[in-house]
Amino acid sequence: MTIIVTGGAGFIGSNFIFYELKNHPDDRIVCLDKLTYAGNLETLESVMDNKNFRFVKGDIADADAVNKLFEEEKPDIIVNFAAESHVDRSIEDPGIFLKTNILGTQVLMDACRKYGIKRYHQVSTDEVYGDLPLDRPDLFFTEETPIHTSSPYSSSKAGADLLVLAYYRTFGLPVSITRCSNNYGPYHFPEKLIPLMISRALADESLPVYGKGENIRDWLYVEDHCAAIDLVIRNGREGEVYNVGGHNEMSNLDVVKTILKKLGKPESLITFVTDRPGHDMRYAIDPTKIHNELGWLPQTKFEDGIELTIDWYLNNKEWWKKIISGEYRNYFSKYYGERLN
Ligand code: NAD
Ligand code: TDX
């Protein structure tokens, strides 16, 4: 079987490629990635020489490039991770989010219709459900929760999800969608909360916590997300949405304090800064459907996953130091400059 993995040079896509090559050694994986600021070929170094792996640089919104690849590879399955993924960047500059996340999805699905595939899988997010209030811990996102977005990022992901379901109903394209909670683990780009805090704490730099740090996220170790997608593309039902999350809710402040404790750094590094506009309060996934239908359960507890993640950042400093000393420096000073002064 040939699987095209888009966005495979990013955080979750690369972890998914490693997962597939390890668990399904007979399958061929073709990664299509534009190599934006978030894509990194060094991440894929260990699989570049694998005979079942091919990397192709290209934009999912470029129909000619996508059609050429489909003609060459005749893929069975497409797993679409490619996206602009950072909420703060979507608030600064929404345009590219709509182009990649919505139009890119359309281009990929049109190619699927043209060439025929067994499954188109959309990697989506719990953010399409909006947020839950802090004072209702009994509430969770189910697959029936209405779409209700807050940021240009989540709106673009929701737009893509609606388009995917429309292609199922109108054209009969065999699709599936997973909506996962916040991931953490190796190769997470250091603009996101956990790797940002690890990398800055190691340099004894201030840690910018938005608002009061009371917002809650439902953290899942990246390999558990990859296992869920693997199950859905092989055994999940067509036209269905599956929520993915491990019931691990934590406030941002607790996450940052946990990291500081593990690194032996003082809490005085925490700096409360101006809140993110439209900041979602709480995400919490009900994963009953994927558990009942496909037997999925998360394998990594947060205490273990955060330890593995911190160790990975300690052992792979060249990977993230190269990123934070490059173009990312301009983003950081532009975005956080006023907040941290
Ligand atoms: P990421 O930003 O680390 O990686 C995105 C990858 O997509 C990069 O390699 C980038 O080069 C590539 N890309 C961007 N635009 C492209 C384009 N036009 N054509 C081809 N490639 C392009 O993102 P991530 O955190 O790995 O997220 C992957 C997917 O999972 C996204 O769709 C995101 O919405 C979703 N998701 C992420 C999380 C999370 O916690 N990180 C949770 C749920 C869902
Ligand atoms: O400097 C920061 N300070 C801070 O307090 C940053 C970068 C974040 N935060 C807060 C905002 C959020 O409440 O931490 C929380 C997590 O922030 P992000 O890492 O930016 O993730 P989030 O906005 O929750 O979105 C993530 O999960 C869902 C991914 O980036 C999305 O791609 C995914 O869809």
Side-chain angles (χ1 to χ4, degrees), residues 84 86-98 152 334:
E84 288 294 332
H86 194 35
V87 173
D88 294 327
R89 290 187 192 246
S90 83
I91 296 168
E92 299 285 299
D93 183 12
I96 186 68
F97 283 74
L98 305 194
K334 185 165 163 252

Side-chain angles (χ1 to χ4, degrees), residues 52-68:
N52 283 339
F53 179 73
R54 177 185 174 201
F55 178 82
V56 177
K57 184 170 187 246
D59 185 341
I60 59 163
D62 175 348
D64 291 341
V66 168
N67 285 337
K68 181 168 173 279

Side-chain angles (χ1 to χ4, degrees), residues 233-287:
I233 60 175
R234 290 164 198 276
N235 305 323
R237 287 184 292 141
E238 283 176 18
E240 292 292 318
V241 174
Y242 294 89
N243 282 355
V244 184
H247 283 303
N248 183 63
E249 293 177 48
M250 288 178 80
S251 74
N252 293 337
L253 198 53
D254 283 344
V255 169
V256 175
K257 284 182 178 172
T258 304
I259 292 169
L260 286 171
K261 197 161 169 212
K262 299 239 175 248
L263 291 175
K265 299 286 182 179
E267 289 188 5
S268 56
L269 288 177
I270 294 173
T271 309
F272 292 98
V273 300
T274 312
D275 211 349
R276 170 185 282 173
H279 198 173
D280 282 335
M281 272 329 293
R282 171 175 167 249
Y283 302 145
I285 282 276
D286 175 353

